[in-house]
Amino acid sequence: MYLKNIFKILLLLQILTVVNYSQQSLDIYGGFAKLLRPKFRLNSFEGNAMNFNRTIDWEYGFSSASIMATQQANEIQLAFLGKRIGAHYIYARYTPGFQKSFTINTDTLVTISDSVNVLNSLLNYSEILGLGYSYQFSNNLSIGATFRYFEEEYSEENVYFYFSDTLNSIITKIDSWKKTHWRGDFGLTYQPIDNLLLSLSSANLLILNQKGEFEENNNLELKTDKVAILGIEYQPLNNLFLHAVYESTSSFLVGSDFKFDLFGGNLAFGFSLFHDKYQTPYIAGVQPSISFAYKSISIDVSAILYSDERNSVMDVQNLLTDGIHNITNNQFSYNKIVANFNLALNFKRKQKLDLLDVEILNPIYPILSEEYLENPFAVGKVVNLSNEDIVIKPSSYISNINGDVVSSPSLLIAPYDTISVPFFTVISREFSHFDKREIGQAYFYLTSIYDDNDDELQKPILINGLNSWDSQVNNLRYFVKYDYNDANKYSKDILRNNREMLSTIDERLLVFIQTKIIFNYFIKKMQYVSDPRSSTEYVQFPSQTIEVAGGDCDDLSVAFSALLESIGIQTAFVDYKSEEKISHVNLLVNTKLKPEEAELITQNDKKYFIRKNVAGTEEIWIPIELTSLTNFNTAWEIASSKFNSEAIDELGLAKKKVVIYDIY
Amino acid sequence: MKNIKLVILIFLLSSILFAQEFKVNKINGKVLVQKGLEDSYTPVKSGDILNGDDLIITEDKSFIQLERENNRFILKANSALGLNHIRKVSVNDLLLALAMEEIRNIPTNKQNGIEKNTAVYGENISTDVDSKLPINKLGNMKINGAKQLSENGFHESAIIVSKDTFRKYPSTKLNFDDRIYFANLLEDLNLYNETLDEYNSISKLDLTKDQQTFVNNKIEKISIKNLEN
């Protein structure tokens, strides 16, 4: 057996490549602006050392590559799993295909017996796994870190001579060296405006837990020069994206991609070219790519085509001088096609609607329950986060006011539009018996129709007592109608006692005489009593006014109106607004008399007013002042004088200084 | 010369704004006053002081001359006039007053046209209200008073009085000539929308053929004027 053991400098490298990629930041997904596009699935640390991701829950993906030169296809290059928890995004990947192997022919022949053996050296770099974490501070700022575990192994066959007294021998033996390390990188993304995203990240910033070395062959160890990487993505048009990456080694990558809507998804074509300091020529290669994303699935196919010819057998000199800086993209990498499949496993349904804020228009006045059916008590600002029309169903629940969630009318909201959404409520009597005001909680819900709640918001709300009034004279009618039965009984009892007299009058005067009788009976029992000191206006219900035998102008007007309305006599409040903001309220009563019948009740046409009813018939209305606390005729004259002066002569009705509110 | 006197008279009278008190200078025949909100009427004597919220009524062959701050106003026979109307009203205030005609009505969206039923007791036999004066003529007398306001330059005030009278005394609305008189006042003030409304209302009266033709022609002419404005 002969040994031609010559440790010449290696002359020839026979390179069998399993997979390879590019420059530090060349992404296996190809030429896309991937950070700026919300639907783009990210599973790479190469172009995303800051672990930026927009997924909202789980995400799973894998990739496979086909090496053109060797016609070798790998089953799984990479498999990953990501999970978002609030602002945190955690990511882990297993990269069985991220390795690079070299078989180095030493050109040393060893002849033993009749066989001739060539001594080889083996060199292997592999990235085993990676972990990532990022935190989203706001919609436009995210910071993250990635950690990747690498293994390197170098082994060479050596010839050993054994000499002894009886036998001399030659044997070949493999000597190997192994090295492992963790690589840690940091990065941030910042999106100052909707169509621009900037990123800054590192490569080899931290080399951690380094074990082993190649000793005298340390020039074959994976290079870990520190590199800063600056990225920019820009969307000048709705369908066009531009991206560029610059590395502190002076390597760079630029590209663009164009997306189309197709079958409800996005089809994108991208093209990038890159310059790598350690590869030739200046533009080391190009990267055409195609991607289709539909809902939570995306499929991407990209090719990496190097500018120079890559043979499977190459000179080793380059390896010895420049070394390997990146096991996925280096001077020995082949043209390849990479296919990726990603699936977003969103167990958490994607939020389509965002309830930005809710303005509570007014405190709750339980007496105004009917009012809340027509007028919202709160208005929310809602944005459609999706790219489709959504029918939204707003609803609300107020503690101690509602027995159940109250739905408001549905609304249509256009994609990405922001609209105001009114919230209505229903206050049932069983929940409205409040003696004092209290703070409740209002819960606002937004539902995209057929789905669960999309967003919700909670706000404190002031709930007033049942006798509280919002100072809107128009709303006094709710106090009038609150206890109609009691008022009806009171009025009927009075009229029953005057049945004989009523049976003798001109039937045209019935309403007028009934009004006069009830007024004279009611008012002689009353005295003027101011409201209790309170931060809100307090109005008594008619039964309370009758019970306590007194009240202010609101209470007396409400009570007398209820007494008439409960027996079918039409009334209206007259609101006299003063500049000192001290309002006065009295009543108008519909006598049902026609204008030509006015002389039946008065010879003075300043004591009545003609109003046309909804049927177009003109009727005589007379004003009544309740606080006069005198007889009917005096109350009538006082109110007539005030109405003539302020409503008619001073044009108060036209200038809205005097307003008539009909009770309906 | 006559025109100059009229202009001077109008100028003098136009300064009587919200007159508080009027002195009765002269009286001829029977003149009554209804004070404030009283139902009764009392005779007026020369030298009496009358308030702005009083209503003056002159019977046949009667007149009254009133004076306030050296300005005089004569109310001729068969007329009635509230003294608060002897004042200059701006066109803007006239428009507000006309707008109040609608404001005081019951809004059509409030009742759904359903009238409440009220039980009717008894028979149509009597009333407890005394009829102290024959007021069946009062509407026409008020229209006469309004015309005299206009003749004295208070056109806007005259229109307001006429509208109120037409409403409170429906029979006065049926007088074609009176309606045309006040419609023309509106037209003279270039209030074409309001004039059109008035003519449209007049066209719904029971008119003769000639009257109908006249009204239709007026409506056509004023519509054109309205468009030109």
Side-chain angles (χ1 to χ4, degrees), chain A residues 406-472:
Chain A
V406 179
S407 294
S408 296
S410 298
L411 294 166
L412 180 71
I413 179 168
Y416 307 114
D417 197 7
T418 302
I419 63 168
S420 293
V421 173
F423 287 93
F424 299 84
T425 193
V426 177
I427 304 169
S428 55
R429 280 208 174 185
E430 59 181 306
F431 289 100
S432 63
H433 291 288
F434 290 97
D435 294 330
K436 295 178 182 175
R437 59 164 56 184
E438 62 177 54
I439 303 290
Q441 292 296 323
Y443 301 86
F444 300 93
Y445 305 104
L446 275 186
T447 306
S448 52
I449 209 156
Y450 308 127
D451 286 336
D452 295 332
N453 284 338
D454 243 39
D455 202 4
E456 61 183 72
L457 201 144
Q458 179 184 351
K459 278 209 160 182
I461 187 167
L462 183 64
I463 303 169
N464 285 293
L466 191 57
N467 285 98
S468 295
W469 173 47
D470 64 352
S471 302
Q472 301 295 315

XYZ file of all heavy atoms in Angstrom, chain A residues 406-472:
547
model
N -79.408 46.105 24.007
C -80.354 46.798 23.124
C -79.695 47.032 21.772
O -78.627 47.651 21.694
C -80.782 48.150 23.731
C -81.745 48.873 22.793
C -81.421 47.937 25.092
N -80.327 46.531 20.732
C -79.768 46.690 19.382
C -80.191 48.022 18.787
O -81.310 48.479 18.988
C -80.251 45.562 18.473
O -79.728 44.339 18.917
N -79.292 48.637 18.055
C -79.578 49.863 17.320
C -79.640 49.522 15.830
O -79.199 48.443 15.438
C -78.499 50.905 17.590
O -78.513 51.258 18.955
N -80.159 50.418 14.998
C -80.298 50.091 13.568
C -78.960 49.756 12.907
O -77.935 50.356 13.231
C -80.882 51.384 12.979
C -81.546 52.050 14.111
C -80.754 51.723 15.323
N -79.033 48.798 11.998
C -77.824 48.386 11.278
C -77.405 49.452 10.273
O -78.232 50.217 9.781
C -78.078 47.074 10.529
O -78.382 46.067 11.456
N -76.120 49.478 9.998
C -75.575 50.466 9.060
C -74.589 49.772 8.137
O -73.955 48.788 8.519
C -74.829 51.573 9.820
C -75.650 52.487 10.717
C -74.741 53.273 11.627
C -76.442 53.446 9.858
N -74.453 50.321 6.945
C -73.458 49.799 6.002
C -72.241 50.702 6.053
O -72.358 51.926 6.001
C -74.041 49.787 4.588
C -73.108 49.266 3.494
C -72.907 47.759 3.627
C -73.659 49.588 2.109
N -71.085 50.095 6.137
C -69.855 50.883 6.164
C -68.933 50.388 5.052
O -68.707 49.188 4.903
C -69.194 50.831 7.562
C -67.900 51.640 7.578
C -68.929 49.430 8.040
C -67.346 51.868 8.974
N -68.445 51.324 4.268
C -67.601 51.005 3.118
C -66.199 50.603 3.581
O -65.804 50.924 4.703
C -67.536 52.221 2.188
N -65.454 49.922 2.723
C -64.097 49.499 3.107
C -63.248 50.671 3.568
O -63.215 51.715 2.918
C -63.540 48.888 1.819
C -64.725 48.491 1.039
C -65.801 49.464 1.373
N -62.607 50.497 4.701
C -61.653 51.473 5.278
C -62.305 52.820 5.587
O -61.612 53.796 5.817
C -60.439 51.664 4.362
C -59.777 50.372 3.985
C -59.776 49.908 2.671
C -59.172 49.579 4.963
C -59.199 48.692 2.336
C -58.594 48.367 4.630
C -58.611 47.930 3.320
O -58.039 46.733 3.004
N -63.623 52.867 5.573
C -64.314 54.125 5.850
C -64.499 54.285 7.362
O -64.480 53.312 8.111
C -65.683 54.104 5.147
C -66.268 55.506 5.031
O -65.558 56.465 5.371
O -67.423 55.635 4.588
N -64.679 55.514 7.777
C -64.966 55.806 9.179
C -66.311 56.524 9.239
O -66.515 57.498 8.513
C -63.882 56.714 9.793
O -62.627 56.052 9.666
C -64.165 56.977 11.266
N -67.200 56.032 10.065
C -68.533 56.640 10.148
C -68.931 56.827 11.612
O -68.333 56.240 12.503
C -69.608 55.794 9.428
C -69.758 54.430 10.099
C -69.305 55.651 7.966
C -70.974 53.667 9.644
N -69.944 57.656 11.807
C -70.515 57.830 13.139
C -71.687 56.867 13.286
O -72.517 56.756 12.382
C -71.002 59.265 13.322
O -69.909 60.140 13.337
N -71.720 56.176 14.392
C -72.767 55.174 14.618
C -73.591 55.581 15.832
O -73.054 55.732 16.927
C -72.132 53.789 14.854
C -73.193 52.776 15.249
C -71.407 53.325 13.609
N -74.901 55.805 15.632
C -75.742 56.181 16.778
C -76.128 54.958 17.612
O -76.395 53.892 17.061
C -76.965 56.806 16.104
C -77.034 56.169 14.767
C -75.637 55.781 14.366
N -76.144 55.147 18.919
C -76.603 54.095 19.834
C -77.902 54.548 20.494
O -77.960 55.622 21.082
C -75.550 53.825 20.909
C -74.351 53.089 20.393
C -73.242 53.793 19.949
C -74.332 51.711 20.336
C -72.134 53.126 19.467
C -73.231 51.032 19.855
C -72.119 51.744 19.409
N -78.916 53.730 20.355
C -80.203 54.010 20.972
C -80.381 53.054 22.158
O -79.686 52.047 22.251
C -81.340 53.793 19.960
C -81.237 54.701 18.761
C -80.437 54.380 17.672
C -81.949 55.890 18.725
C -80.336 55.226 16.572
C -81.866 56.729 17.623
C -81.059 56.395 16.555
N -81.308 53.385 23.012
C -81.540 52.482 24.139
C -83.024 52.461 24.500
O -83.801 53.303 24.030
C -80.687 52.882 25.352
O -80.711 51.819 26.300
C -81.179 54.168 25.997
N -83.385 51.497 25.275
C -84.767 51.360 25.742
C -84.713 51.240 27.255
O -83.989 50.407 27.789
C -85.431 50.093 25.156
C -86.837 49.932 25.708
C -85.457 50.154 23.645
N -85.453 52.118 27.906
C -85.458 52.081 29.367
C -86.820 51.577 29.815
O -87.833 52.249 29.638
C -85.192 53.479 29.954
C -83.869 54.014 29.400
C -85.164 53.429 31.465
C -83.650 55.464 29.713
N -86.821 50.406 30.355
C -88.105 49.877 30.792
C -88.401 50.384 32.204
O -87.498 50.691 32.975
C -88.081 48.350 30.771
O -87.001 47.889 31.533
N -89.658 50.483 32.516
C -90.055 51.071 33.799
C -89.474 50.310 34.984
O -89.139 50.886 35.998
C -91.578 51.119 33.914
C -92.165 52.282 33.160
C -93.468 52.725 33.803
N -93.955 53.935 33.168
C -95.015 54.606 33.574
N -95.700 54.197 34.608
N -95.402 55.701 32.963
N -89.361 49.003 34.830
C -88.872 48.217 35.968
C -87.428 48.559 36.317
O -86.973 48.306 37.424
C -88.995 46.724 35.663
C -88.221 46.288 34.433
C -88.379 44.806 34.153
O -88.125 44.003 35.051
O -88.750 44.481 33.006
N -86.704 49.156 35.363
C -85.311 49.514 35.640
C -85.137 51.016 35.838
O -84.033 51.505 35.879
C -84.415 49.060 34.488
C -84.261 47.574 34.419
C -85.011 46.850 33.516
C -83.385 46.904 35.258
C -84.889 45.478 33.444
C -83.260 45.533 35.198
C -84.012 44.810 34.290
N -86.241 51.767 35.864
C -86.081 53.217 35.829
C -86.465 53.911 37.135
O -86.639 55.106 37.159
C -86.918 53.787 34.678
O -88.277 53.523 34.922
N -86.622 53.169 38.219
C -87.023 53.800 39.476
C -85.807 54.276 40.256
O -85.349 53.631 41.188
C -87.863 52.826 40.300
C -89.198 52.576 39.673
N -90.199 53.514 39.654
C -89.677 51.514 38.994
C -91.256 53.029 39.022
N -90.958 51.819 38.596
N -85.307 55.402 39.845
C -84.148 55.972 40.519
C -84.589 57.192 41.316
O -85.182 58.117 40.776
C -83.094 56.412 39.504
C -82.437 55.259 38.822
C -82.878 54.849 37.573
C -81.395 54.585 39.424
C -82.288 53.783 36.940
C -80.806 53.515 38.790
C -81.245 53.110 37.551
N -84.295 57.153 42.604
C -84.586 58.335 43.407
C -83.465 59.355 43.277
O -83.699 60.557 43.328
C -84.753 57.938 44.877
C -85.982 57.068 45.044
O -86.925 57.243 44.258
O -85.978 56.200 45.942
N -82.252 58.844 43.143
C -81.093 59.738 43.066
C -80.299 59.399 41.825
O -80.412 58.314 41.268
C -80.200 59.538 44.294
C -80.852 59.948 45.602
C -79.904 59.658 46.749
C -80.564 60.010 48.083
N -79.712 59.628 49.226
N -79.465 60.350 41.447
C -78.608 60.085 40.303
C -77.475 59.143 40.713
O -77.084 59.096 41.893
C -78.036 61.378 39.743
C -77.207 62.163 40.749
C -76.346 63.213 40.112
N -77.089 64.139 39.304
C -76.515 65.096 38.583
N -75.208 65.231 38.594
N -77.231 65.926 37.882
N -76.990 58.383 39.764
C -75.892 57.474 40.045
C -75.045 57.290 38.787
O -75.467 57.637 37.676
C -76.414 56.124 40.521
C -77.271 55.395 39.506
C -77.706 54.022 40.015
O -78.289 53.943 41.114
O -77.450 53.047 39.298
N -73.859 56.766 38.983
C -72.972 56.489 37.851
C -73.158 55.033 37.448
O -72.982 54.128 38.269
C -71.491 56.717 38.216
C -71.267 58.142 38.701
C -70.595 56.400 37.017
C -71.398 59.191 37.637
N -73.530 54.808 36.211
C -73.647 53.455 35.691
C -72.562 53.195 34.669
O -71.717 54.061 34.398
N -72.585 52.012 34.127
C -71.615 51.660 33.088
C -72.369 51.372 31.794
O -73.342 50.618 31.795
C -70.797 50.431 33.488
C -69.845 50.675 34.659
C -68.759 51.689 34.332
O -68.245 51.724 33.213
N -68.407 52.524 35.303
N -71.899 51.990 30.720
C -72.495 51.727 29.399
C -71.518 50.879 28.598
O -70.335 51.216 28.509
C -72.789 53.035 28.681
N -72.021 49.778 28.072
C -71.198 48.874 27.258
C -71.678 49.000 25.812
O -72.864 48.856 25.537
C -71.348 47.429 27.727
C -70.953 47.234 29.175
C -71.884 47.454 30.193
C -69.671 46.843 29.529
C -71.542 47.290 31.531
C -69.318 46.670 30.853
C -70.253 46.904 31.851
O -69.901 46.748 33.162
N -70.737 49.257 24.926
C -71.073 49.432 23.517
C -70.454 48.280 22.721
O -69.275 47.976 22.888
C -70.546 50.769 23.007
C -71.108 51.944 23.755
C -70.430 52.478 24.842
C -72.327 52.490 23.404
C -70.945 53.539 25.555
C -72.857 53.553 24.104
C -72.167 54.074 25.187
N -71.269 47.655 21.888
C -70.810 46.505 21.104
C -70.989 46.779 19.611
O -71.964 47.398 19.199
C -71.609 45.253 21.455
C -71.612 44.925 22.925
C -72.735 45.199 23.706
C -70.497 44.371 23.540
C -72.753 44.921 25.060
C -70.501 44.085 24.894
C -71.634 44.365 25.650
O -71.642 44.095 26.984
N -70.047 46.281 18.848
C -70.142 46.357 17.386
C -70.063 44.953 16.834
O -69.158 44.200 17.177
C -68.965 47.148 16.809
C -69.089 48.657 16.765
C -67.890 49.201 16.029
C -70.358 49.083 16.068
N -71.001 44.626 15.998
C -71.019 43.297 15.405
C -71.143 43.435 13.905
O -71.981 44.206 13.433
C -72.231 42.498 15.923
O -72.197 42.517 17.338
C -72.207 41.073 15.440
N -70.263 42.748 13.177
C -70.483 42.674 11.737
C -71.504 41.558 11.573
O -71.368 40.500 12.160
C -69.196 42.363 10.990
O -68.590 41.234 11.523
N -72.519 41.839 10.825
C -73.706 40.984 10.835
C -73.312 39.522 10.578
O -72.419 39.238 9.809
C -74.737 41.508 9.814
C -76.123 41.158 10.239
C -74.432 41.082 8.410
C -77.193 42.059 9.671
N -73.959 38.608 11.250
C -73.739 37.157 11.243
C -72.500 36.747 12.044
O -72.220 35.577 12.214
C -73.603 36.585 9.823
C -74.730 36.969 8.915
C -74.473 37.561 7.699
C -76.059 36.752 9.291
C -75.511 37.937 6.859
C -77.099 37.125 8.459
C -76.820 37.708 7.249
O -77.836 38.081 6.441
N -71.721 37.709 12.511
C -70.511 37.351 13.241
C -70.652 37.682 14.717
O -71.634 38.259 15.161
C -69.319 38.120 12.678
C -68.889 37.558 11.351
O -69.165 36.373 11.100
O -68.293 38.307 10.581
N -69.634 37.316 15.464
C -69.602 37.680 16.873
C -69.189 39.139 16.999
O -68.914 39.815 16.017
C -68.594 36.794 17.605
C -69.036 35.354 17.598
O -70.252 35.123 17.543
O -68.154 34.475 17.623
N -69.122 39.594 18.236
C -68.712 40.975 18.475
C -67.347 41.244 17.876
O -66.414 40.484 18.049
C -68.660 41.250 19.975
C -70.053 41.420 20.536
O -70.968 41.726 19.791
N -70.203 41.214 21.818
N -67.248 42.319 17.148
C -65.985 42.700 16.542
C -65.185 43.597 17.460
O -63.977 43.545 17.493
C -66.247 43.419 15.203
C -65.669 42.640 14.056
O -65.772 41.416 14.111
O -65.118 43.259 13.138
N -65.893 44.460 18.153
C -65.191 45.365 19.061
C -66.192 45.837 20.098
O -67.403 45.807 19.876
C -64.613 46.566 18.293
C -63.457 47.201 19.060
O -63.087 46.651 20.125
O -62.935 48.224 18.605
N -65.691 46.228 21.219
C -66.572 46.741 22.257
C -65.852 47.796 23.068
O -64.610 47.895 23.022
C -67.080 45.611 23.145
C -65.995 44.842 23.879
C -66.585 43.704 24.676
O -67.012 42.719 24.053
O -66.623 43.810 25.921
N -66.613 48.554 23.796
C -66.041 49.656 24.558
C -66.943 49.924 25.756
O -68.152 49.742 25.679
C -65.958 50.887 23.663
C -65.007 51.998 24.013
C -64.428 52.590 22.735
C -65.692 53.085 24.794
N -66.355 50.323 26.842
C -67.122 50.567 28.065
C -66.882 51.997 28.526
O -65.759 52.499 28.483
C -66.668 49.586 29.138
C -67.381 49.758 30.459
C -66.836 48.825 31.524
O -66.044 47.938 31.225
N -67.239 49.039 32.751
N -67.952 52.654 28.951
C -67.818 54.039 29.427
C -68.758 54.282 30.600
O -69.874 53.759 30.601
C -68.167 55.028 28.310
C -67.039 55.281 27.347
C -67.142 56.664 26.761
C -65.813 57.119 26.193
N -65.862 58.456 25.673
N -68.321 55.083 31.544
C -69.245 55.441 32.626
C -70.300 56.404 32.101
O -70.037 57.186 31.178
C -68.350 56.110 33.661
C -67.166 56.569 32.901
C -66.989 55.645 31.739
N -71.474 56.332 32.688
C -72.565 57.199 32.232
C -73.373 57.644 33.444
O -73.606 56.862 34.372
C -73.440 56.462 31.190
C -74.461 57.417 30.580
C -74.113 55.238 31.768
C -75.132 56.849 29.334
N -73.777 58.893 33.426
C -74.538 59.445 34.539
C -76.026 59.128 34.343
O -76.593 59.450 33.305
C -74.327 60.957 34.607
C -74.998 61.675 35.767
C -74.431 61.216 37.104
C -74.831 63.178 35.631
N -76.621 58.491 35.331
C -78.051 58.155 35.258
C -78.780 59.003 36.297
O -78.532 58.880 37.494
C -78.279 56.656 35.529
C -77.461 55.817 34.536
C -79.757 56.315 35.441
C -77.405 54.348 34.880
N -79.650 59.859 35.813
C -80.356 60.764 36.710
C -81.544 60.071 37.374
O -81.957 58.983 36.969
C -80.858 61.976 35.924
C -79.737 62.934 35.596
O -79.156 63.559 36.478
N -79.399 63.031 34.323
N -82.090 60.752 38.358
C -83.284 60.236 39.018
C -84.487 60.353 38.100
O -84.467 61.066 37.094
N -85.563 59.669 38.470
C -86.741 59.606 37.602
C -87.399 60.972 37.428
O -88.009 61.252 36.402
C -87.731 58.588 38.168
C -88.896 58.197 37.272
C -88.396 57.651 35.947
C -89.760 57.177 37.954
N -87.293 61.844 38.436
C -87.907 63.173 38.342
C -86.992 64.209 37.689
O -87.381 65.369 37.560
C -88.309 63.683 39.730
C -89.550 62.982 40.250
O -89.446 62.037 41.022
N -90.710 63.429 39.807
N -85.801 63.795 37.296
C -84.885 64.764 36.673
C -85.354 65.091 35.268
O -85.873 64.235 34.546
C -83.473 64.186 36.613
O -82.976 64.008 37.906
N -85.132 66.340 34.910
C -85.586 66.829 33.602
C -84.418 67.524 32.921
O -83.625 68.206 33.576
C -86.764 67.793 33.830
C -87.258 68.524 32.625
C -87.533 68.021 31.405
C -87.556 69.933 32.550
N -87.990 69.003 30.567
C -88.019 70.193 31.243
C -87.489 70.992 33.450
C -88.392 71.474 30.814
C -87.873 72.258 33.035
C -88.314 72.490 31.722
N -84.326 67.357 31.623
C -83.180 67.910 30.883
C -83.396 69.372 30.468
O -82.675 69.880 29.614
C -82.875 67.046 29.656
C -84.009 67.059 28.651
O -85.082 67.616 28.965
O -83.832 66.511 27.539
N -84.394 70.036 31.027
C -84.696 71.456 30.766
C -85.246 71.711 29.369
O -85.414 72.865 28.974
C -83.458 72.350 30.983
O -82.977 72.199 32.286
N -85.497 70.658 28.608
C -86.118 70.825 27.294
C -87.634 70.774 27.491
O -88.185 69.715 27.838
C -85.691 69.706 26.329
C -84.188 69.613 26.094
C -83.650 70.831 25.394
O -84.217 71.310 24.432
N -82.544 71.375 25.924
